[in-house]
Amino acid sequence: VTALEEEIRTRVEELRKLGVAELVISSLLQAPKPEPSRLTITKDFRLFLTDYGNREVKMTVLPKTLYFFYLNHPEGVLFKELVDYEQELMEYYKLVSNRINLLKMYTSIKDLVDPTKNSINEKASLVRSAFVREFDVEVVKDYIISSDKDRRKRILIDRKLVVDESGQILKGER
C-alpha cells in the first residue's frame, strides 16, 4: 500500500465520521472515463492510441487482420458470416503480412472463418488482450471487438477518430 493510498483511506474514513453519505464518497472515488483517443494506423500498419501518450497496441498479423476488417465494418458482422468476407480478410492479411506463401495465408484465413474451429474466438481474444495489456478495460471498450444485443461483432469507436495514414484500411464512408 502506497502512502497516497493510505492517505486516501484515512480521508475517506474522516468523511464517513463526518456523516457524508456512502453514495457521495463512492462518486468521489469514481475516476471519470477519459475522452476517447484517436486511433492512428501508420503506413506500416502499426496501431497507436495517439491521445493516450501515443502508446502502441501491438498485435500479431492475424489478429490485426481481423481488427482492420472490423474497423472497416462499423455496422458489425456476425462471426458465422465471416465466411462471406473471406476475400476481404485475405486482402487485409496480404497488406499486413510479410508472408510470401499464399497457400499458408489462405489456410489461415480459411481456419479463421471456419465456424467449426475456434480460430475466430482466439484471434478476437488476442485483439482484446493487446488493448487490455496497455490500458484499463474501461478505457478501451470502444476499441475492442464486442457485440451488442443483436450479437453482431463490431468495434464501437467513432470512425472520425481513426486516422488511417496507410490509406488502405478504412474503405467506407466516415
Side-chain angles (χ1 to χ4, degrees):
V1 178
T2 68
L4 180 58
E5 290 170 324
E6 191 55 44
E7 182 180 345
I8 291 170
R9 272 196 199 118
T10 302
R11 303 271 179 174
V12 166
E13 282 307 311
E14 289 173 7
L15 289 171
R16 285 187 177 119
K17 287 177 185 172
L18 291 171
V20 175
E22 285 298 319
L23 188 60
V24 172
I25 293 171
S26 178
S27 71
L28 290 172
L29 296 174
Q30 295 295 319
K33 184 179 174 191
E35 289 294 313
S37 169
R38 289 168 291 160
L39 173 70
T40 299
I41 303 165
T42 64
K43 291 179 182 177
D44 60 348
F45 308 108
R46 294 167 63 202
L47 294 165
F48 291 89
L49 290 181
T50 315
D51 303 311
Y52 296 159
N54 208 33
R55 295 206 349 233
E56 183 174 5
V57 179
K58 296 179 182 180
M59 290 181 229
T60 56
V61 175
L62 210 46
K64 192 178 285 187
T65 297
L66 184 66
Y67 192 75
F68 289 158
F69 169 82
Y70 274 102
L71 270 180
N72 200 43
H73 289 275
E75 75 284 2
V77 176
L78 293 168
F79 279 173
K80 67 182 182 179
E81 294 173 346
L82 283 176
V83 69
D84 298 334
Y85 298 92
E86 196 173 316
Q87 188 57 45
E88 183 180 349
L89 284 159
M90 186 66 174
E91 293 305 315
Y92 284 120
Y93 198 26
K94 285 180 198 174
L95 278 175
V96 299
S97 174
N98 56 7
R99 278 189 167 175
I100 297 169
N101 187 330
L102 286 177
L103 183 59
K104 284 186 179 179
M105 292 174 72
Y106 180 72
T107 301
S108 295
I109 294 297
K110 274 287 195 201
D111 288 347
L112 185 70
V113 301
D114 185 341
T116 66
K117 299 194 175 182
N118 199 36
S119 180
I120 185 62
N121 293 307
E122 291 169 359
K123 301 318 177 273
S125 178
L126 288 170
V127 167
R128 183 180 193 285
S129 295
F131 279 93
V132 172
R133 191 171 38 246
E134 292 295 321
F135 305 95
D136 183 76
V137 174
E138 279 303 306
V139 170
V140 298
K141 66 183 181 185
D142 290 346
Y143 297 88
I144 60 178
I145 300 169
S146 59
S147 59
D148 289 347
K149 58 186 175 286
D150 65 0
R151 303 188 51 82
R152 298 182 84 70
K153 302 293 183 179
R154 61 180 49 89
I155 298 170
L156 298 174
I157 189 69
D158 183 344
R159 297 317 187 265
K160 292 176 184 159
L161 292 174
V162 180
V163 179
D164 181 11
E165 293 177 351
S166 77
Q168 298 182 71
I169 301 304
L170 294 179
K171 298 176 174 118
E173 293 291 318
R174 294 200 287 158

